[in-house]
Amino acid sequence: MAVGEPLIELHGVNKHFGALHVLRDIELTVGRGEVVVIIGPSGGGKSTLIRTINRLETVQSGSIVVDGRPLPAEGKELARLRAEVGMVFQSFNLFAHRTVVANVMLGQTKVRRRGKQDAERRALELLDRVGLADQAGKFPAQLSGGQQQRVAIARALAMDPQVMLFDEPTSALDPEMINEVLEVMRQLAQEGMTMVVVTHEMGFARSAANRVVFMADGRIVEDRPPEEFFSAPESERAKDFLSKIL
Ligand code: ADP
Ligand code: MG
């Protein structure tokens, strides 16, 4: 998949939580259609970094540009931009008292202002795409963790985002359910979706990523194609990290 013009650009981004400097001089560009996997030790700033991209976190300095426009501070412009950025978390956060199909319809009717019929049609189409067409009428608690996470992915896709952010989407899942979620993500990547994925799944990073970004202590330490990164990490931090997990 050819990588297009920049969709996300972070320049000189710094973020503090009180005295804690969690993002340090971040420079990151993600091209249209690109799949960037962020890895690194716990507490290194991975979640904070991707949360800045849809302004779930504010930053103290630097610029964040999404689709050619600086990220607005608040208001309608921010809401509009957020709709372009789909996000999937470790915890699925589905509405427990709504059916699966209703969960996938909600953002469409509320934010995209689609009519109910359109929203339902789109929801069923996306549930089919993540392999859950037969689960539409159930409630989240009746589904496995892997199925719930696939509903969460369908819900994010239903907003027709330009980019999908994933923060450890398989970390809360039992091992046998991890692959069904990664498979949906691989499929999305193949279809050309722009993706930024924080994960510990190195197999996914190797096979689906255009670039691996290694973060530690709030800095981007390496940013290279996976085949280079995994075969010859340059930094001691990355070597140390890989020796512990591989
Ligand atoms: P990672 O996702 O790589 O594990 P995080 O981005 O979650 O790292 O966290 C980076 C650092 O920021 C950690 O030291 C964490 O404790 C701290 N941190 C994260 N969120 C907050 C918060 N809301 N308030 C204060 N400190 C935070
Ligand atoms: Mg995290």
Side-chain angles (χ1 to χ4, degrees):
M1 180 66 59
V3 172
E5 79 270 21
L7 182 56
I8 297 168
E9 294 171 87
L10 282 76
H11 291 299
V13 168
N14 282 275
K15 160 86 181 167
H16 302 257
F17 283 116
L20 198 63
H21 196 171
V22 289
L23 296 179
R24 297 170 184 256
D25 305 322
I26 298 294
E27 300 287 326
L28 180 70
T29 301
V30 180
R32 237 176 244 285
E34 197 168 24
V35 178
V36 173
V37 168
I38 303 179
I39 67 172
S42 175
K46 305 181 298 296
S47 294
T48 307
L49 175 61
I50 68 168
R51 289 164 61 84
T52 63
I53 296 173
N54 61 358
R55 222 170 194 287
L56 287 174
E57 300 287 354
T58 57
V59 300
Q60 277 82 33
S61 67
S63 72
I64 301 168
V65 174
V66 177
D67 197 19
R69 277 174 295 238
L71 205 57
E74 54 190 18
K76 274 199 181 135
E77 263 302 283
L78 179 60
R80 199 193 57 74
L81 214 137
R82 275 202 179 131
E84 305 296 334
V85 182
M87 182 126 190
V88 175
F89 302 91
Q90 185 175 325
S91 53
F92 334 120
N93 301 322
L94 299 173
F95 288 104
H97 301 290
R98 290 181 191 260
T99 61
V100 162
V101 67
N103 266 279
V104 182
M105 288 170 63
L106 199 60
Q108 299 187 66
T109 51
K110 290 249 191 281
V111 180
R112 288 297 194 201
R113 304 245 170 247
R114 275 184 201 139
K116 260 195 151 170
Q117 274 191 337
D118 277 356
E120 184 170 25
R121 194 179 316 122
R122 180 86 176 117
L124 292 172
E125 192 180 293
L126 285 164
L127 286 170
D128 186 41
R129 194 159 143 200
V130 300
L132 295 173
D134 50 345
Q135 309 292 322
K138 291 194 180 165
F139 287 90
Q142 297 173 291
L143 269 52
S144 72
Q147 290 174 322
Q148 290 187 55
Q149 190 60 302
R150 285 185 280 148
V151 175
I153 294 172
R155 176 181 58 181
L157 289 173
M159 306 293 282
D160 299 323
Q162 297 195 46
V163 54
M164 288 280 285
L165 311 177
F166 293 86
D167 192 359
E168 299 201 26
T170 61
S171 293
L173 299 178
D174 291 335
E176 72 272 21
M177 292 167 189
I178 290 177
N179 266 329
E180 65 192 48
V181 172
L182 293 179
E183 205 36 61
V184 167
M185 291 167 63
R186 268 196 201 97
Q187 179 86 29
L188 264 183
Q190 264 161 22
E191 289 165 8
M193 176 61 79
T194 309
M195 294 164 60
V196 182
V197 183
V198 177
T199 185
H200 298 296
E201 294 296 327
M202 296 302 134
F204 178 83
R206 277 175 196 272
S207 64
N210 297 95
R211 278 158 53 207
V212 170
V213 168
F214 176 73
M215 267 193 99
D217 302 326
R219 286 185 199 285
I220 292 178
V221 181
E222 301 201 29
D223 180 349
R224 301 158 69 204
E227 55 279 13
E228 287 178 22
F229 178 78
F230 288 111
S231 62
E234 280 172 353
S235 62
E236 287 307 316
R237 282 310 296 267
K239 283 179 199 165
D240 182 53
F241 178 76
L242 289 174
S243 75
K244 283 177 181 145
I245 59 158
L246 293 180

